[in-house]
Amino acid sequence: MTTVITYGTFDLFHLGHVRLLRRLSELGNTLIVGCSTDEFNTRKGKANVMPYRHRVEILESCRYVSKVIPEESWDQKRGDILREKADIFGIGADWEGKFDDLADICKVVYLPRTEGISTTELRSSVLSM
Ligand code: C2G
């Protein structure tokens, strides 16, 4: 059994998120997603359109996701990986190198982002309609 773990806001769930989760799920049998809480997003300097409980429900309905946990701080990853016995930590390449410190307890992979789509772009295109 190979367990994969990732983290993110996943606001305005879109194709980039789906493709990342699909590719991560293909690396193992179980994919755990740490979904950033509204409070943590504020600390990340990100304003989310959709509240945490909506983002969790959408992630839980995604066929690639096995389990969703709250992401409440930058430094919970190590404890989560050990508790969940995750073999792989994966995230989009916009974070390249940022989580290499986890390589002593799991494999760390950075996957290319899906170009041409982002929550920010979606938000501005909706606003300009
Ligand atoms: N992503 C992607 N392609 C896009 C947009 C996003 O592959 N076009 C990926 C990101 O690289 C990330 C995941 O989808 O791995 C979730 O993206 P965000 O919701 O923007 O998450 P982020 O704000 O990067 O939070 O502790 C880690 C942070 O919580 C990550």
Side-chain angles (χ1 to χ4, degrees), residues 29-60:
N29 319 81
T30 303
L31 174 59
I32 299 169
V33 178
C35 182
S36 310
T37 60
D38 298 338
E39 299 72 23
F40 181 50
N41 265 336
T42 304
R43 275 190 277 138
K44 281 163 68 173
K46 282 186 98 162
N48 46 278
V49 175
M50 301 163 77
Y52 171 70
R53 65 190 184 290
H54 290 194
R55 293 182 282 114
V56 168
E57 188 171 339
I58 290 168
L59 283 168
E60 286 175 341

Short mmCIF file of all heavy atoms in Angstrom, two decimals, residues 29-60:
data_model
loop_
_atom_site.label_atom_id
_atom_site.label_comp_id
_atom_site.label_asym_id
_atom_site.label_seq_id
_atom_site.Cartn_x
_atom_site.Cartn_y
_atom_site.Cartn_z
N ASN A 29 -1.93 4.13 -3.79
CA ASN A 29 -3.27 3.56 -3.65
C ASN A 29 -4.20 4.50 -2.89
O ASN A 29 -5.41 4.41 -2.98
CB ASN A 29 -3.22 2.23 -2.86
CG ASN A 29 -2.05 1.38 -3.25
OD1 ASN A 29 -0.92 1.60 -2.79
ND2 ASN A 29 -2.27 0.43 -4.15
N THR A 30 -3.62 5.33 -2.06
CA THR A 30 -4.40 6.24 -1.21
C THR A 30 -3.87 7.66 -1.35
O THR A 30 -2.65 7.85 -1.32
CB THR A 30 -4.24 5.80 0.28
OG1 THR A 30 -4.65 4.43 0.39
CG2 THR A 30 -5.07 6.66 1.20
N LEU A 31 -4.80 8.60 -1.51
CA LEU A 31 -4.38 10.01 -1.59
C LEU A 31 -5.09 10.79 -0.48
O LEU A 31 -6.32 10.82 -0.42
CB LEU A 31 -4.72 10.61 -2.95
CG LEU A 31 -4.47 12.12 -3.10
CD1 LEU A 31 -3.00 12.47 -2.84
CD2 LEU A 31 -4.89 12.60 -4.49
N ILE A 32 -4.28 11.37 0.38
CA ILE A 32 -4.80 12.21 1.47
C ILE A 32 -4.55 13.67 1.11
O ILE A 32 -3.45 14.02 0.66
CB ILE A 32 -4.08 11.88 2.80
CG1 ILE A 32 -4.32 10.42 3.17
CG2 ILE A 32 -4.57 12.81 3.93
CD1 ILE A 32 -3.44 9.92 4.31
N VAL A 33 -5.58 14.49 1.27
CA VAL A 33 -5.45 15.91 0.93
C VAL A 33 -5.63 16.76 2.18
O VAL A 33 -6.64 16.64 2.89
CB VAL A 33 -6.49 16.35 -0.12
CG1 VAL A 33 -6.36 17.84 -0.44
CG2 VAL A 33 -6.33 15.52 -1.40
N GLY A 34 -4.63 17.59 2.47
CA GLY A 34 -4.76 18.57 3.56
C GLY A 34 -5.36 19.83 2.96
O GLY A 34 -4.72 20.47 2.12
N CYS A 35 -6.59 20.14 3.35
CA CYS A 35 -7.28 21.32 2.79
C CYS A 35 -7.08 22.50 3.73
O CYS A 35 -7.41 22.41 4.92
CB CYS A 35 -8.76 21.00 2.63
SG CYS A 35 -9.72 22.35 1.91
N SER A 36 -6.57 23.60 3.18
CA SER A 36 -6.30 24.78 4.02
C SER A 36 -7.59 25.34 4.61
O SER A 36 -8.53 25.62 3.87
CB SER A 36 -5.62 25.87 3.19
OG SER A 36 -4.53 25.37 2.46
N THR A 37 -7.60 25.53 5.92
CA THR A 37 -8.78 26.14 6.55
C THR A 37 -8.85 27.62 6.15
O THR A 37 -7.87 28.19 5.66
CB THR A 37 -8.68 26.05 8.08
OG1 THR A 37 -7.51 26.76 8.49
CG2 THR A 37 -8.61 24.60 8.55
N ASP A 38 -10.00 28.23 6.39
CA ASP A 38 -10.15 29.66 6.07
C ASP A 38 -9.14 30.49 6.86
O ASP A 38 -8.49 31.40 6.33
CB ASP A 38 -11.58 30.13 6.38
CG ASP A 38 -12.63 29.39 5.53
OD1 ASP A 38 -12.26 28.85 4.46
OD2 ASP A 38 -13.80 29.33 5.95
N GLU A 39 -8.97 30.12 8.14
CA GLU A 39 -8.05 30.87 9.00
C GLU A 39 -6.61 30.73 8.49
O GLU A 39 -5.86 31.69 8.40
CB GLU A 39 -8.12 30.35 10.46
CG GLU A 39 -9.48 30.47 11.12
CD GLU A 39 -10.52 29.48 10.58
OE1 GLU A 39 -10.14 28.41 10.02
OE2 GLU A 39 -11.73 29.83 10.67
N PHE A 40 -6.24 29.52 8.09
CA PHE A 40 -4.87 29.32 7.60
C PHE A 40 -4.66 30.07 6.29
O PHE A 40 -3.60 30.65 6.04
CB PHE A 40 -4.55 27.83 7.44
CG PHE A 40 -3.15 27.55 6.98
CD1 PHE A 40 -2.06 28.13 7.61
CD2 PHE A 40 -2.91 26.72 5.89
CE1 PHE A 40 -0.76 27.88 7.18
CE2 PHE A 40 -1.61 26.46 5.45
CZ PHE A 40 -0.54 27.04 6.11
N ASN A 41 -5.71 30.08 5.46
CA ASN A 41 -5.59 30.84 4.21
C ASN A 41 -5.30 32.31 4.47
O ASN A 41 -4.49 32.92 3.77
CB ASN A 41 -6.88 30.72 3.39
CG ASN A 41 -6.78 29.60 2.37
OD1 ASN A 41 -5.69 29.22 1.96
ND2 ASN A 41 -7.91 29.09 1.97
N THR A 42 -5.93 32.84 5.49
CA THR A 42 -5.66 34.25 5.84
C THR A 42 -4.18 34.41 6.15
O THR A 42 -3.52 35.32 5.69
CB THR A 42 -6.54 34.65 7.05
OG1 THR A 42 -7.90 34.39 6.72
CG2 THR A 42 -6.35 36.11 7.41
N ARG A 43 -3.65 33.42 6.91
CA ARG A 43 -2.21 33.49 7.24
C ARG A 43 -1.34 33.28 6.00
O ARG A 43 -0.22 33.79 5.92
CB ARG A 43 -1.89 32.46 8.33
CG ARG A 43 -2.18 33.03 9.74
CD ARG A 43 -1.66 32.13 10.83
NE ARG A 43 -2.63 31.07 11.10
CZ ARG A 43 -2.28 29.80 11.31
NH1 ARG A 43 -1.03 29.45 11.29
NH2 ARG A 43 -3.20 28.90 11.53
N LYS A 44 -1.89 32.53 5.02
CA LYS A 44 -1.14 32.32 3.77
C LYS A 44 -1.23 33.58 2.89
O LYS A 44 -0.63 33.65 1.84
CB LYS A 44 -1.73 31.14 2.99
CG LYS A 44 -1.31 29.78 3.49
CD LYS A 44 -2.20 28.67 2.97
CE LYS A 44 -2.13 28.38 1.52
NZ LYS A 44 -2.93 27.18 1.15
N GLY A 45 -2.07 34.52 3.30
CA GLY A 45 -2.28 35.73 2.50
C GLY A 45 -3.19 35.48 1.31
O GLY A 45 -3.13 36.17 0.30
N LYS A 46 -4.01 34.43 1.41
CA LYS A 46 -4.93 34.07 0.32
C LYS A 46 -6.36 34.28 0.79
O LYS A 46 -6.75 33.83 1.86
CB LYS A 46 -4.77 32.59 -0.06
CG LYS A 46 -3.57 32.29 -0.91
CD LYS A 46 -3.60 30.84 -1.36
CE LYS A 46 -4.15 30.70 -2.75
NZ LYS A 46 -3.80 29.41 -3.36
N ALA A 47 -7.17 34.96 -0.08
CA ALA A 47 -8.59 35.09 0.24
C ALA A 47 -9.32 34.01 -0.56
O ALA A 47 -9.22 33.98 -1.79
CB ALA A 47 -9.08 36.46 -0.19
N ASN A 48 -10.02 33.11 0.11
CA ASN A 48 -10.76 32.09 -0.63
C ASN A 48 -12.22 32.50 -0.81
O ASN A 48 -12.83 33.08 0.09
CB ASN A 48 -10.66 30.70 0.03
CG ASN A 48 -10.90 30.74 1.53
OD1 ASN A 48 -10.01 31.05 2.30
ND2 ASN A 48 -12.13 30.45 1.95
N VAL A 49 -12.76 32.20 -1.98
CA VAL A 49 -14.17 32.51 -2.27
C VAL A 49 -15.08 31.53 -1.54
O VAL A 49 -16.06 31.90 -0.92
CB VAL A 49 -14.42 32.41 -3.81
CG1 VAL A 49 -15.88 32.61 -4.13
CG2 VAL A 49 -13.53 33.41 -4.55
N MET A 50 -14.68 30.24 -1.62
CA MET A 50 -15.52 29.18 -1.04
C MET A 50 -15.05 28.86 0.39
O MET A 50 -13.85 28.71 0.62
CB MET A 50 -15.42 27.92 -1.90
CG MET A 50 -15.86 28.15 -3.33
SD MET A 50 -15.28 26.82 -4.39
CE MET A 50 -16.43 25.55 -3.95
N PRO A 51 -16.04 28.75 1.31
CA PRO A 51 -15.65 28.43 2.68
C PRO A 51 -15.06 27.04 2.79
O PRO A 51 -15.30 26.17 1.94
CB PRO A 51 -16.96 28.53 3.46
CG PRO A 51 -18.05 28.40 2.46
CD PRO A 51 -17.51 28.90 1.16
N TYR A 52 -14.31 26.82 3.84
CA TYR A 52 -13.59 25.56 4.06
C TYR A 52 -14.51 24.35 3.91
O TYR A 52 -14.17 23.40 3.19
CB TYR A 52 -12.97 25.59 5.47
CG TYR A 52 -12.37 24.28 5.91
CD1 TYR A 52 -11.20 23.80 5.33
CD2 TYR A 52 -12.97 23.51 6.91
CE1 TYR A 52 -10.64 22.60 5.72
CE2 TYR A 52 -12.42 22.31 7.30
CZ TYR A 52 -11.26 21.85 6.72
OH TYR A 52 -10.72 20.64 7.11
N ARG A 53 -15.69 24.39 4.54
CA ARG A 53 -16.55 23.19 4.56
C ARG A 53 -17.02 22.85 3.14
O ARG A 53 -17.20 21.67 2.80
CB ARG A 53 -17.73 23.34 5.52
CG ARG A 53 -18.72 24.40 5.14
CD ARG A 53 -19.75 24.70 6.24
NE ARG A 53 -20.73 25.67 5.79
CZ ARG A 53 -20.46 26.96 5.59
NH1 ARG A 53 -19.23 27.40 5.82
NH2 ARG A 53 -21.38 27.79 5.15
N HIS A 54 -17.17 23.87 2.26
CA HIS A 54 -17.54 23.60 0.86
C HIS A 54 -16.36 22.98 0.12
O HIS A 54 -16.53 22.01 -0.65
CB HIS A 54 -17.96 24.89 0.15
CG HIS A 54 -19.28 25.44 0.62
ND1 HIS A 54 -19.96 26.40 -0.08
CD2 HIS A 54 -20.01 25.18 1.73
CE1 HIS A 54 -21.08 26.71 0.58
NE2 HIS A 54 -21.13 25.98 1.68
N ARG A 55 -15.18 23.51 0.37
CA ARG A 55 -13.99 22.98 -0.32
C ARG A 55 -13.71 21.55 0.11
O ARG A 55 -13.34 20.70 -0.73
CB ARG A 55 -12.80 23.91 -0.06
CG ARG A 55 -12.99 25.28 -0.72
CD ARG A 55 -11.78 26.21 -0.52
NE ARG A 55 -11.76 26.81 0.81
CZ ARG A 55 -10.84 26.55 1.71
NH1 ARG A 55 -9.86 25.69 1.46
NH2 ARG A 55 -10.87 27.14 2.91
N VAL A 56 -13.97 21.25 1.38
CA VAL A 56 -13.79 19.87 1.86
C VAL A 56 -14.78 18.93 1.19
O VAL A 56 -14.41 17.87 0.67
CB VAL A 56 -13.95 19.79 3.40
CG1 VAL A 56 -14.05 18.34 3.88
CG2 VAL A 56 -12.77 20.47 4.08
N GLU A 57 -16.05 19.35 1.11
CA GLU A 57 -17.08 18.47 0.52
C GLU A 57 -16.78 18.20 -0.96
O GLU A 57 -16.93 17.06 -1.45
CB GLU A 57 -18.46 19.11 0.68
CG GLU A 57 -19.61 18.19 0.26
CD GLU A 57 -20.99 18.72 0.62
OE1 GLU A 57 -21.09 19.58 1.53
OE2 GLU A 57 -21.96 18.28 -0.02
N ILE A 58 -16.29 19.22 -1.66
CA ILE A 58 -15.95 19.02 -3.07
C ILE A 58 -14.76 18.06 -3.20
O ILE A 58 -14.78 17.12 -4.01
CB ILE A 58 -15.66 20.37 -3.75
CG1 ILE A 58 -16.97 21.18 -3.89
CG2 ILE A 58 -14.99 20.20 -5.11
CD1 ILE A 58 -16.78 22.62 -4.28
N LEU A 59 -13.74 18.26 -2.37
CA LEU A 59 -12.58 17.35 -2.42
C LEU A 59 -12.99 15.91 -2.10
O LEU A 59 -12.55 14.96 -2.75
CB LEU A 59 -11.51 17.82 -1.45
CG LEU A 59 -10.66 19.02 -1.90
CD1 LEU A 59 -9.85 19.57 -0.73
CD2 LEU A 59 -9.74 18.64 -3.05
N GLU A 60 -13.88 15.78 -1.10
CA GLU A 60 -14.31 14.42 -0.70
C GLU A 60 -15.12 13.75 -1.80
O GLU A 60 -15.22 12.54 -1.86
CB GLU A 60 -15.10 14.47 0.60
CG GLU A 60 -14.24 14.73 1.82
CD GLU A 60 -15.02 14.90 3.12
OE1 GLU A 60 -16.24 15.18 3.05
OE2 GLU A 60 -14.39 14.75 4.19
#
